[in-house]
Amino acid sequence: MTAAVIDPLVGAMLRCSMCGVCGRYLACAAYAKLLRAWHHVYGALESALDAAGLQLSELQRRSDLELDIASLAGRSWMETTPPSEAACAYADHLTRLAETEPELLAAHVVVRYRGDVLGGLRRGAVIADVLGLPVPEGIRFFTGGSGSVARLASALRTIERPIENGRAADEVQVALAAERQLYGEACAGLQ
């Protein structure tokens, strides 16, 4: 996640949470909606990477997302919280890439993991503070993972080298546009 994208969401959550119990509930609901969207996207990305033989243990985020969403939305979250339209569109795009141009998944891996995981380490603490979440409840996505941050960073450097121009660079822009849509959908109820 880029600071330009997450800051409006955190700001909107903070404004809502300052409005008492109802406001904090709305902020938590928006955050749960965002995590549900990421769960759908990461599910597609991790499946696509598996299919392409590119899965790295450091990149697994889906189980952390499941724990986070359950802590915010309850155990039946999968039935009660459907993925957003933008999440479905992005997941469909990743699935198509896996079938037609799997080498372009690297662009999405770099954007997702560099922004969401490496950049999210700091943001998870801010979100927990704003929403009053007991750490690690609700922020495992940002702070957890099955691999070390150093190993993840090393894996990303290896993947990033071929992404300089052409179609891969275009896919970076697709990933960033999808990110803006997901955050926009999550913020919509907080404006």
Side-chain angles (χ1 to χ4, degrees):
M1 286 175 289
T2 62
V5 174
I6 184 84
D7 290 344
L9 178 63
V10 172
M13 288 189 315
L14 180 59
R15 285 189 300 279
C16 273
S17 68
M18 293 171 63
C19 296
V21 174
C22 184
R24 182 160 286 183
Y25 172 79
L26 287 174
C28 279
Y31 180 54
K33 180 179 178 179
L34 176 66
L35 292 179
R36 178 60 173 104
W38 283 131
H39 179 266
H40 194 64
V41 169
Y42 274 81
L45 183 56
E46 290 174 8
S47 293
L49 291 171
D50 276 343
L54 300 172
Q55 191 57 276
L56 301 169
S57 64
E58 292 82 6
L59 303 182
Q60 298 291 322
R61 308 310 294 167
R62 197 162 187 222
S63 61
D64 290 325
L65 283 162
E66 289 169 359
L67 292 169
D68 287 343
I69 300 165
S71 72
L72 294 165
R75 292 181 186 246
S76 62
W77 63 267
M78 194 164 289
E79 294 82 36
T80 60
T81 311
S84 67
E85 286 182 33
C88 290
Y90 190 18
D92 289 346
H93 178 73
L94 294 170
T95 301
R96 277 191 307 278
L97 277 183
E99 294 167 357
T100 60
E101 299 176 276
E103 67 279 2
L104 296 179
L105 290 170
H108 295 273
V109 168
V110 169
V111 171
R112 292 280 53 82
Y113 294 98
R114 182 159 300 281
D116 299 338
V117 179
L118 297 180
L121 292 172
R122 181 177 36 164
R123 291 184 185 101
V126 172
I127 289 169
D129 186 50
V130 167
L131 297 179
L133 301 174
V135 175
E137 300 299 315
I139 62 165
R140 285 179 189 89
F141 170 64
F142 296 113
T143 60
S146 59
S148 75
V149 172
R151 286 193 344 229
L152 174 59
S154 175
L156 287 174
R157 279 192 295 278
T158 302
I159 294 169
E160 283 176 319
R161 288 190 187 115
I163 302 174
E164 294 175 4
N165 52 39
R167 286 279 296 131
D170 293 343
E171 284 301 316
V172 167
Q173 295 308 311
V174 169
L176 292 171
E179 178 178 55
R180 285 189 295 276
Q181 288 180 314
L182 292 173
Y183 279 97
E185 285 180 343
C187 282
L190 300 177
Q191 302 301 331

